[in-house]
Amino acid sequence: MVMSKDLEYFKDFLANPGSYKVKEFYETLHEWAEYIKAHKGDFNYIEDEEWREIRERVNDAFQKKEKLKAEFDELTSKLELMENSGDDPNKITVYTDWVEFMKRNQVEYDFPDETIALMELLLNTFIVSARDCEVAEEQAKESKIRYEKSLEQLDDTLFEHYERTGKRPVISALRHSKKNKGN
């Protein structure tokens, strides 16, 4: 393979590899690796202090980009798993982490403002939905408690009536009346 790039092409990359965005960094790093293979004997990272510093800068930038890429991959996989899940609290956590990641790394990954705004809107929708569910569950619990108390009071009232009078109470609201259909 003939290398069409020369050392001058990589000057900016070698001076500050951390300034490159993730995609550009990996593309340029791949090109740099190909260049090193083509010029195997031209660089001595062990004896030459300048090349050792360049190597350390590239390695540091590589470690940071790998960490960033791993976080991106992890959040992406969590997001894909949550798409089919109906568990709102977990969705809220995953979307919160995703929005924070997007804001923190907007420049690094070229996330458009519209995408971040859309994800924030989706997150807020999940939060409101979760709160509505909590309120509905609480209201259902309170309603059941009121119903059980009402039944208990009715039982107590009927028992007191029976104790007082010795007769079985008749509840007119529950009395069934027959319709007279002729004779």
Side-chain angles (χ1 to χ4, degrees):
M1 178 197 291
V2 178
M3 288 298 294
S4 61
K5 297 171 177 57
D6 60 353
L7 191 56
E8 190 65 30
Y9 174 81
F10 297 104
K11 183 179 177 184
D12 291 338
F13 176 74
L14 297 175
N16 191 4
S19 66
Y20 283 67
K21 296 177 184 176
V22 173
K23 185 179 178 185
E24 296 167 343
F25 175 80
Y26 282 109
E27 289 171 356
T28 309
L29 184 64
H30 180 70
E31 291 172 351
W32 173 243
E34 292 295 323
Y35 183 81
I36 289 176
K37 284 180 189 176
H39 299 86
K40 204 172 201 172
D42 296 348
F43 310 106
N44 189 342
Y45 291 117
I46 297 171
E47 294 177 7
D48 191 348
E49 184 67 30
E50 181 182 346
W51 282 110
R52 194 175 354 190
E53 288 176 13
I54 289 172
R55 179 175 168 241
E56 287 175 12
R57 278 196 302 267
V58 172
N59 280 339
D60 288 343
F62 178 75
Q63 296 299 324
K64 289 176 185 174
K65 300 297 181 186
E66 280 293 302
K67 198 176 198 180
L68 195 61
K69 188 174 178 280
E71 184 181 1
F72 177 81
D73 292 342
E74 179 184 347
L75 285 172
T76 303
S77 66
K78 283 182 180 179
L79 192 62
E80 288 171 359
L81 289 173
M82 285 296 120
E83 287 297 321
N84 299 326
S85 172
D87 194 11
D88 283 342
N90 285 338
K91 277 187 178 182
I92 290 171
T93 303
V94 171
Y95 277 101
T96 300
D97 293 345
W98 183 248
V99 168
E100 289 174 4
F101 178 84
M102 289 175 77
K103 286 180 179 179
R104 237 184 10 253
N105 301 300
Q106 183 176 10
V107 173
E108 193 74 40
Y109 278 98
D110 289 327
F111 292 126
D113 291 334
E114 298 82 26
T115 304
I116 294 174
L118 180 66
M119 291 302 288
E120 286 179 323
L121 181 65
L122 191 58
L123 173 63
N124 290 335
T125 302
F126 284 137
I127 291 171
V128 168
S129 172
R131 286 183 185 157
D132 288 347
C133 287
E134 289 173 4
V135 167
E137 287 173 2
E138 192 62 36
Q139 288 174 345
K141 286 179 187 176
E142 290 175 8
S143 177
K144 185 176 180 180
I145 291 170
R146 282 194 307 270
Y147 173 74
E148 289 173 356
K149 282 183 181 180
S150 296
L151 282 178
E152 190 176 309
Q153 287 175 348
L154 178 63
D155 284 346
D156 291 345
T157 303
L158 294 175
F159 183 74
E160 287 174 8
H161 177 73
Y162 179 74
E163 287 286 315
R164 220 180 20 209
T165 62
K167 296 180 183 177
R168 197 175 90 210
V170 178
I171 302 173
S172 60
L174 301 177
R175 188 179 296 164
H176 179 69
S177 61
K178 291 186 178 180
K179 302 262 186 207
N180 191 2
K181 294 186 177 179
N183 286 346

